[in-house]
């Protein structure tokens, strides 16, 4: 990938710049399965024309979107009431979105979160979200165990703040967590073990972990019941292979090396509710065509 969603969101480079419902196959309880798209997949289109892009996604068949474009109290440059109206006019639901939690969201002198982070939580609730998701870790807080423990304390405290507001706080894995360790434990495992499962929910990304050695199926089995949402993503080797950097890039579902359908089938049975399509790279289709293709694949898989 050229730029991570974490960096994209943290740097605010998108300031202006669907859901199908089926009974769950798991646990015998009636449960809605939600299919949607992470808007980072179509970030260039959202930067140029957010309202028009959302309209096209809705006509495509998506009913659910997950944002990656909040900054300065606005979603993709729109005020909360205006953005809610755009969603409503297109029959779209947005119960989740990505906003990065790192060192800059903590006020050391006050021993508290910044007002900006508290506003992010409040605005997430106001726009109608249920889940505020932080993508990736702040690497500056992951070099030693003391800093990491403080970071996980920030996670848990954010979880409590969100809970008090009527939200859930969640974490979305990138790739750094799988090729870095502390005290002999892979950082992602350490994060899952150190954060309070009642305060920090988990969104697993099937693709981000693949190149550094993480396997989504292994984590679903190792930490049953820990994940409420999944970013459905496939990966393929770059051609020609790069001399340095990532050897893999995300690709249309079913065209890569990840057994995505097998993972998705298992995840549905294990109780995951949200299945969010995300494609970050476009080896053979433009972003909007890729979004349509991935939706067709997911529907062919029973969504």
């Amino acid at each position: 990938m050229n730029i991570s969603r974490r960096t994209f969101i943290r740097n605010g480079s998108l300031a202006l710049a669907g859901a199908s419902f089926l009974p769950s196959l798991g646990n015998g309880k009636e449960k809605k399965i939600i299919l949607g798209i992470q808007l980072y997949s179509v970030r260039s289109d959202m930067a140029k024309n957010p309202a028009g892009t959302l309209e096209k996604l809705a006509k495509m068949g998506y009913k659910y979107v997950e944002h990656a474009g909040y900054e300065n109290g606005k979603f993709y440059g729109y005020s909360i009431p205006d953005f809610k109206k755009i969603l409503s006019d297109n029959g779209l639901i947005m119960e989740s979105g990505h906003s990065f939690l790192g060192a800059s969201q903590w006020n050391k002198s006050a021993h508290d979160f910044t007002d900006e982070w508290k506003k992010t939580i409040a605005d997430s609730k106001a726009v109608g979200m249920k889940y505020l998701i932080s993508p990736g870790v702040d690497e500056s807080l992951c070099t030693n165990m003391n800093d990491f423990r403080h970071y996980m304390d920030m996670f848990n405290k954010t979880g409590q703040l969100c809970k008090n507001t009527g939200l859930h706080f969640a974490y979305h894995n990138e790739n750094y967590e799988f090729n870095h360790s502390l005290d002999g434990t892979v950082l992602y495992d350490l994060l899952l073990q150190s954060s309070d499962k009642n305060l920090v929910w988990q969104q697993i990304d099937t693709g981000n972990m693949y190149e550094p050695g993480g396997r989504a199926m292994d984590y679903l089995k190792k930490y049953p019941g820990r994940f409420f949402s999944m970013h459905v993503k496939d990966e393929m080797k770059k051609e020609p292979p790069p001399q340095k950097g990532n050897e893999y890039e995300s690709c249309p579902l079913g065209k890569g090396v990840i057994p995505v359908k097998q993972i998705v089938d298992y995840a549905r049975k294990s109780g995951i509710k949200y299945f969010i399509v995300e494609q970050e790279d476009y080896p053979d289709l433009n972003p909007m065509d890729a979004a349509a293709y991935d939706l067709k694949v997911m529907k062919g898989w029973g969504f």
Side-chain angles (χ1 to χ4, degrees), residues 8 11-17 47 50 68-72 74-78:
F8 184 83
N11 291 347
S13 54
L14 195 55
L16 287 173
Y70 169 84
E71 189 178 21
N72 297 328
K74 294 183 177 182
F75 291 87
Y76 296 97
Y78 290 92

Side-chain angles (χ1 to χ4, degrees), residues 126-181:
V127 82
M129 287 167 49
K130 295 181 179 179
Y131 304 91
L132 171 60
I133 305 168
S134 180
V137 292
D138 185 332
E139 296 167 16
S140 72
L141 297 175
C142 298
T143 60
N144 63 76
M145 191 60 77
N146 285 338
D147 285 347
F148 188 76
R149 289 195 184 102
H150 166 65
Y151 196 20
M152 292 302 97
D153 186 51
M154 287 172 58
F155 270 43
N156 292 333
K157 286 180 177 177
T158 290
Q160 188 61 57
L161 281 176
C162 286
K163 186 175 181 180
N164 294 344
T165 308
L167 289 170
H168 297 296
F169 176 63
Y171 178 75
H172 169 92
N173 66 275
E174 296 290 339
N175 57 10
Y176 177 91
E177 309 91 299
F178 298 91
N179 52 25
H180 290 80
S181 302

Side-chain angles (χ1 to χ4, degrees), residues 20-80:
S20 294
F21 301 97
L22 295 171
S24 171
L25 300 181
N27 67 30
K29 296 180 180 179
E30 186 73 11
K31 187 175 182 179
K32 300 296 184 181
I33 297 295
I34 295 178
L35 169 64
I37 185 170
Q38 163 57 246
L39 293 175
Y40 186 75
S41 303
V42 290
R43 54 195 176 276
S44 58
D45 297 272
M46 288 297 294
K48 296 172 185 175
N49 185 358
T53 301
L54 290 171
E55 181 180 5
K56 289 178 182 178
L57 289 172
K59 289 180 178 178
M60 211 178 274
Y62 284 102
K63 300 296 183 184
Y64 185 99
V65 295
E66 182 177 88
H67 86 76
Y70 169 84
E71 189 178 21
N72 297 328
K74 294 183 177 182
F75 291 87
Y76 296 97
Y78 290 92
S79 69
I80 291 172

Side-chain angles (χ1 to χ4, degrees), residues 4 20 28 33 40 42 50 54 63 96 111 117 123 139 174 181 196 220 223 226 229 248 257 259 300:
S4 74
S20 294
I33 297 295
Y40 186 75
V42 290
L54 290 171
K63 300 296 183 184
S96 56
H111 300 287
W117 184 242
D123 287 349
E139 296 167 16
E174 296 290 339
S181 302
D196 187 335
L220 292 174
Y223 299 95
R226 193 69 194 273
S229 176
Y248 289 84
V257 298

